Amino acid sequence: MPRLRPLLWMLAVATVLAGCSTLGAVAGMLGNQVSFTAPQLQGYLDRRFPRDYDKLGGLVTLSVLNPRLSIPQGSHRLRLDFDVGFGALGRDSRTPAGHLALASGLRFDPGTRGLHLDNPTIESLDMPQLGGSMNATGRDLVNRWLAGYARDEPVYQFDSSLLQRLQSRRIGATTIENGLVVVHLDQ
């Protein structure tokens, strides 16, 4: 029987961990907050990109490729870098034509059950494949995409298991603290 005790203990721990599938997705759930790491959000984004957005009645396609998410040290905003491509008149939109970098806070949207960009700002927009600068139409296209993306598309979506555990809690503010995305819970 003494030999079985460690085995039973390990089996119990393994069962508890297997039952908490969200443990792999949530860095920590401590009291009144849930924390996520940049690699967790990156994993979600990797499954969602590349994305194509047809504009101007299909005459132009904006492709957003290769998302790279980071949380700069000491920052209260995350950074997202994308490669972007434009398709028009025989140009393949999946061929990167430039780079887009933006900074943003995050907010929880109950409709999508996810974290969305909040007040994103473009930090840089470099288009060397299009002559280095972008015309007003291209810049407007990127700004419209960014506004729509922030409104409609989560950067990370909560899974059903996490939502069940938070069922009786109200989700409050979302902040970025010490390199983590922190979702604060209200009673």
Side-chain angles (χ1 to χ4, degrees):
M1 189 64 158
R3 289 177 145 183
L4 277 177
R5 192 170 299 175
L7 182 59
L8 289 174
W9 176 250
M10 287 176 36
L11 184 59
V13 169
T15 302
V16 167
L17 290 176
C20 297
S21 63
T22 306
L23 276 179
V26 176
M29 184 170 168
L30 304 171
N32 292 326
Q33 65 187 35
V34 180
S35 301
F36 301 91
T37 65
Q40 290 168 299
L41 277 64
Q42 181 67 53
Y44 181 82
L45 289 171
D46 287 343
R47 293 187 302 272
R48 309 271 303 164
F49 284 88
R51 303 283 301 269
D52 296 323
Y53 301 90
D54 289 330
K55 299 296 180 184
L56 303 174
L59 293 174
V60 176
T61 300
L62 169 68
S63 290
V64 183
L65 317 147
N66 309 317
R68 295 168 302 281
L69 184 141
S70 62
I71 301 174
Q73 186 71 358
S75 178
H76 296 288
R77 294 170 62 84
L78 60 81
R79 180 180 167 103
L80 266 172
D81 290 271
F82 297 98
D83 293 326
V84 292
F86 292 96
L89 303 170
R91 180 171 172 78
D92 180 15
S93 67
R94 292 287 178 104
T95 301
H99 173 261
L100 167 67
L102 58 97
S104 182
L106 290 173
R107 65 179 173 79
F108 177 76
D109 183 312
T112 63
R113 304 174 346 173
L115 299 175
H116 290 251
L117 298 178
D118 187 35
N119 297 317
T121 57
I122 295 175
E123 290 193 335
S124 68
L125 182 57
D126 303 315
M127 305 305 291
Q129 296 294 320
L130 298 177
S133 63
M134 182 179 288
N135 64 22
T137 302
R139 186 168 287 282
D140 182 56
L141 185 64
V142 170
N143 280 322
R144 281 194 278 156
W145 169 79
L146 182 55
Y149 182 77
R151 181 186 62 244
D152 301 330
E153 300 284 335
V155 173
Y156 184 83
Q157 195 167 36
F158 290 19
D159 66 19
S160 296
S161 174
L162 176 59
L163 288 171
Q164 282 181 334
R165 292 190 309 169
L166 300 177
Q167 187 173 351
S168 64
R169 307 293 296 273
R170 187 177 151 276
I171 295 175
T174 301
T175 59
I176 297 172
E177 305 169 6
N178 301 318
L180 295 173
V181 174
V182 181
V183 177
H184 298 274
L185 306 172
D186 299 333
Q187 295 299 338

